[in-house]
Amino acid sequence: MRNNVPTSSITLLKSLQSKIFPAVEKELIYWKAKATAIPNQELRDQALASIDSKKFHCQGGAVYALLAGERNREAIKFIVAYQTISDYLDNLCDRSTSLDPADFRLLHESLFCALDPDQQTQNYYALREDQNDNGYLHDLVRTCQVQLVLVERHVAQPFLNRLVSLYTDLQVHKHVDIRERVPRLENWFKEEKEDDELAWYEFAAASGSTLTVFCLVSYLLGGKLDEPKAKSIFEGYFPYLQGLHIMLDYYIDQKEDVEAEDLNFCFYYPNEEKMSQRLSLFIQKAADQVQPLPDSSFHQMIRQGLVGLYLADPKVKYLFDETKLKKHLLKTSGTNARLFHLFTKLYYKMRK
């Protein structure tokens, strides 16, 4: 099997434009049509909103399909379906009529099921009033399962289970009653004791990324994964690259999260300077941890691409002191980050 993993930013950007984005668009058109047919208005509204407002999550995540070689289309189908589940459930919990942690945990059982074709789907809405989605969530889960049927997933299953367990715990704790959120997250962090260098809100952020799942599954589909490699990928991505991903996501959402009274982990830094220092540390630690990985230049571009992409988002211009922090993080990340930043800004202009 040929190795088509891009080794330079130019080849990566060409692959995104010519191969990845068109395939993602096709998948999202399919899922949007499915979402439009959901009978229950609340479920339909949240499904459509998650696709319309979080499309870029699927576009960014689908870059990992380039690790799957000739099975990149199967990888894109998995990534788009899995990310759509994640974004849909986030909307259901974020804008929920429920504050029941048991309800949130049951909803997220769908992600465990999506990663294990041997599991049967169930009624994930059993603990909430809104029920009839016309099979939408089940179809998303089965689409993920179908891509994994023929791969040797046992080499990655423990790491996939760990990732989805962390992700589910985060989603449960951060969506309960506002008075309970921080105490629950702090207690969860004490129980996990994953990394003494992290604050509780940094650990929480690191648990909220889907990047490592996409990386592992794409390597599985490409037939290029054994257990030692799966372990090295998990350790290379968690917590610092995943933490960088979600902290940048929270960074650009600060203004709207204030207005919506949503939890934002950037708010727990004492000041902008401290936040800049910590994000720089995440950039440097992530660079060190992905360096030993196979296809290390690709993973370094992911790290740089995250910084360039998020800091080019139009929402950044509404943030206090954004220019100073943006310049510092782009400089810390390296030349490719500035190239990805320019590419993303041009993309937004063209889209207008």
Side-chain angles (χ1 to χ4, degrees):
M1 185 177 292
R2 291 180 293 112
N3 182 10
N4 345 351
V5 179
T7 56
S8 75
S9 55
I10 299 301
T11 54
L12 178 62
L13 291 172
K14 283 182 179 178
S15 295
L16 286 173
Q17 286 285 68
S18 64
K19 185 186 297 184
I20 301 301
F21 287 173
V24 169
E25 189 67 30
K26 184 178 178 181
E27 292 299 313
L28 287 175
I29 289 170
Y30 173 81
W31 290 116
K32 188 167 184 176
K34 286 273 191 180
T36 303
I38 295 174
N40 180 277
Q41 183 176 344
E42 173 64 13
L43 300 179
R44 182 174 66 251
D45 288 348
Q46 297 304 340
L48 288 170
S50 71
I51 292 173
D52 289 338
S53 66
K54 299 177 180 180
K55 172 182 175 178
F56 74 98
H57 289 171
C58 292
Q59 290 175 319
V63 68
Y64 284 99
L66 295 169
L67 300 174
E70 294 170 4
R71 298 187 69 184
N72 61 81
R73 291 305 296 267
E74 290 100 318
I76 289 171
K77 283 183 177 294
F78 173 89
I79 290 165
V80 172
Y82 191 91
Q83 186 62 51
T84 299
I85 296 172
S86 172
D87 291 336
Y88 172 51
L89 298 188
D90 190 50
N91 270 33
L92 283 183
C93 297
D94 233 351
R95 305 286 172 252
S96 182
T97 52
S98 165
L99 290 171
D100 180 7
D103 170 41
F104 300 152
R105 195 165 291 281
L106 179 58
L107 285 172
H108 284 85
E109 280 295 315
S110 59
L111 289 177
F112 285 96
C113 194
L115 291 169
D116 185 354
D118 294 332
Q119 283 196 43
Q120 296 294 316
T121 55
Q122 57 180 296
N123 179 14
Y124 303 111
Y125 305 113
L127 299 179
R128 57 175 45 220
E129 290 181 17
D130 301 295
Q131 292 281 323
N132 188 5
D133 73 352
N134 199 31
Y136 177 69
L137 185 52
H138 283 179
D139 287 347
L140 284 164
V141 169
R142 291 192 192 102
T143 297
C144 294
Q145 289 180 327
V146 165
Q147 314 314 316
L148 296 176
V149 167
L150 298 179
V151 300
E152 297 292 331
R153 64 185 184 279
H154 67 275
V155 300
Q157 201 71 59
F159 306 104
L160 292 171
N161 290 346
R162 174 65 173 155
L163 290 162
V164 75
S165 178
L166 287 168
Y167 183 87
T168 297
D169 285 345
L170 169 67
Q171 293 299 314
V172 170
H173 296 318
K174 85 183 188 85
H175 285 117
V176 295
D177 185 279
I178 193 167
R179 294 164 296 184
E180 298 178 24
R181 291 174 187 174
V182 171
R184 288 180 69 118
L185 288 164
E186 288 177 329
N187 288 333
W188 173 51
F189 175 61
K190 289 174 186 173
E191 291 168 5
E192 291 289 344
K193 279 292 183 185
E194 187 73 32
D195 191 325
D196 289 335
E197 293 186 30
L198 299 181
W200 67 265
Y201 44 92
E202 293 171 333
F203 171 76
S207 301
S209 174
T210 50
L211 295 186
T212 316
V213 170
F214 299 156
C215 186
L216 289 168
V217 168
S218 295
Y219 272 131
L220 276 173
L221 287 168
K224 297 180 285 186
L225 196 69
D226 55 23
E227 193 167 341
K229 188 173 176 180
K231 183 174 186 290
S232 70
I233 289 166
F234 177 83
E235 293 173 347
Y237 269 68
F238 186 86
Y240 289 102
L241 189 56
Q242 289 213 158
L244 175 65
H245 172 208
I246 300 303
M247 274 302 189
L248 288 169
D249 196 46
Y250 277 113
Y251 174 72
I252 69 169
D253 284 346
Q254 287 178 89
K255 184 175 183 292
E256 59 192 56
D257 286 346
V258 167
E259 293 167 355
E261 296 185 343
D262 286 341
L263 188 70
N264 186 307
F265 296 131
C266 287
F267 296 160
Y268 295 93
Y269 288 117
N271 50 54
E272 290 275 330
E273 183 179 358
K274 184 65 174 178
M275 178 163 61
S276 179
Q277 290 172 357
R278 293 299 291 174
L279 290 177
S280 296
L281 176 70
F282 272 72
I283 290 168
Q284 292 158 358
K285 287 271 195 180
D288 292 341
Q289 293 191 335
V290 301
Q291 190 56 40
L293 297 183
D295 305 308
S296 62
S297 60
F298 175 86
H299 302 293
Q300 293 290 10
M301 285 192 290
I302 294 292
R303 174 185 64 84
Q304 295 167 316
L306 287 171
V307 177
L309 183 150
Y310 275 102
L311 295 182
D313 193 286
K315 290 186 280 191
V316 172
K317 65 185 177 183
Y318 299 110
L319 302 177
F320 172 75
D321 202 21
E322 52 89 12
T323 304
K324 183 179 177 182
L325 184 140
K326 180 167 68 176
K327 285 182 177 179
H328 175 68
L329 295 184
L330 286 171
K331 183 179 179 181
T332 303
S333 300
T335 304
N336 276 337
R338 291 191 283 272
L339 180 62
F340 291 130
H341 182 259
L342 177 62
F343 171 80
T344 308
K345 291 189 81 168
L346 290 172
Y347 172 76
Y348 281 123
K349 282 185 179 180
M350 289 170 62
R351 198 171 66 171
K352 281 184 179 180

